[in-house]
Amino acid sequence: MLYLGIDQHARQITISLRDENGDVMQARQVSTQPEKIKAFLEQLSRKGLQNGESFVAVLEVCGFNDWLIRMLKDYRCPKVVLIQPDERKKCKTDRRDAAALSELLWVNRDRLLQGKPVRGLRQVDIACSTDQENRRLTTLRKEAGQARTRLVNTIRHILRRHNLQWEMPAKTFPTQSAVAWLKQVVLPEIDRLEMNHLLADLEHIRSV
């Protein structure tokens, strides 16, 4: 078994690869350009096949783990450990982080491979694609609701600025009649321009 620690960034990953004895076999940076990271994983997979081994990997949670986790599993990586990073040290480098991750994986290999907890280490469950889509949909709905509230509040503020809220033909907003009125109500030039943009954004959110 080989143990791969990965420090992930948008433009490159930094890896530290250890063998069964815990010795570092390889430490390097790999571009995240598709052809280059595929070439690295193909080489790693072939090396494992030649020796009758597979490899496991560990990486920290970030905003763009999904594609890398999928790719690792495509290249004979039966176990990907995703962990929550601890407090950042002041003196850190990508190479040190990758080395620390591969050492952590190797030292705790038995428990991590069995899916058991490790003291002081917060593991994060890797959701299936359906769960990820559902979570993302929930997040999008929440963000859309928050954006709608901000737009409505801004529109109301413009009306109050000119004491026009009394003329709106509906008590609730945004109704079709209220929106139609807002599109033609007379406002100073800058406020009219802002109102047009706000109504366009509101219409977009309502159509989502």
Side-chain angles (χ1 to χ4, degrees):
M1 183 73 74
L2 303 178
Y3 304 90
L4 180 65
I6 303 174
D7 185 64
Q8 184 181 2
H9 295 277
R11 300 183 68 84
Q12 83 277 328
I13 62 171
T14 304
I15 65 98
S16 174
L17 183 67
R18 295 178 187 267
D19 60 18
E20 190 63 48
N21 297 318
D23 297 324
V24 176
M25 302 171 56
Q26 189 177 22
R28 56 174 290 200
Q29 288 187 326
V30 182
S31 170
T32 54
Q33 292 180 9
E35 65 276 8
K36 293 186 177 180
I37 197 163
K38 284 181 181 178
F40 165 72
L41 290 174
E42 286 173 357
Q43 181 185 31
L44 181 60
S45 183
R46 284 196 302 269
K47 182 184 295 185
L49 283 169
Q50 291 173 357
N51 299 324
E53 297 175 316
S54 59
F55 70 96
V56 292
V58 59
L59 60 157
E60 294 180 340
V61 174
C62 68
F64 37 88
N65 290 135
D66 296 357
W67 69 269
L68 181 56
I69 291 172
R70 288 195 301 268
M71 185 173 285
L72 287 168
K73 291 183 176 180
D74 288 341
Y75 284 91
R76 300 185 67 250
C77 182
K79 178 74 172 180
V80 178
V81 180
L82 190 62
I83 65 172
Q84 187 71 41
D86 54 10
E87 294 183 2
R88 294 293 186 178
K89 299 177 181 179
K90 291 183 179 179
C91 297
K92 67 178 289 294
T93 67
D94 295 343
R95 291 184 183 276
R96 287 178 182 174
D97 285 352
L101 286 170
S102 66
E103 183 177 20
L104 180 148
L105 180 59
W106 180 79
V107 169
N108 299 285
R109 58 193 180 279
D110 292 334
R111 295 190 66 83
L112 290 174
L113 289 175
Q114 294 175 34
K116 295 181 178 180
V118 174
R119 183 182 295 275
L121 182 65
R122 182 182 174 188
Q123 298 185 55
V124 179
D125 290 334
I126 300 175
C128 67
S129 58
T130 301
D131 288 341
Q132 289 177 342
E133 290 173 358
N134 290 336
R135 291 175 185 176
R136 184 56 184 152
L137 181 59
T138 299
T139 300
L140 288 172
R141 285 173 175 168
K142 179 181 178 181
E143 291 174 349
Q146 292 171 339
R148 180 181 180 277
T149 299
R150 286 193 297 270
L151 289 169
V152 168
N153 288 340
T154 304
I155 289 171
R156 290 187 183 278
H157 180 71
I158 293 174
L159 294 178
R160 293 190 186 106
R161 189 186 303 157
H162 302 287
N163 201 30
L164 291 171
Q165 69 274 16
W166 307 104
E167 300 179 20
M168 190 162 60
K171 293 182 179 180
T172 57
F173 177 75
T175 60
Q176 290 184 352
S177 59
V179 171
W181 177 77
L182 287 168
K183 288 180 178 179
Q184 56 80 39
V185 66
V186 177
L187 293 168
E189 182 178 359
I190 299 301
D191 287 335
R192 180 72 264 171
L193 180 63
E194 182 180 7
M195 181 66 75
N196 291 342
H197 282 294
L198 292 169
L199 291 174
D201 289 343
L202 184 62
E203 184 63 28
H204 175 72
I205 290 175
R206 292 174 68 184
S207 66
V208 173

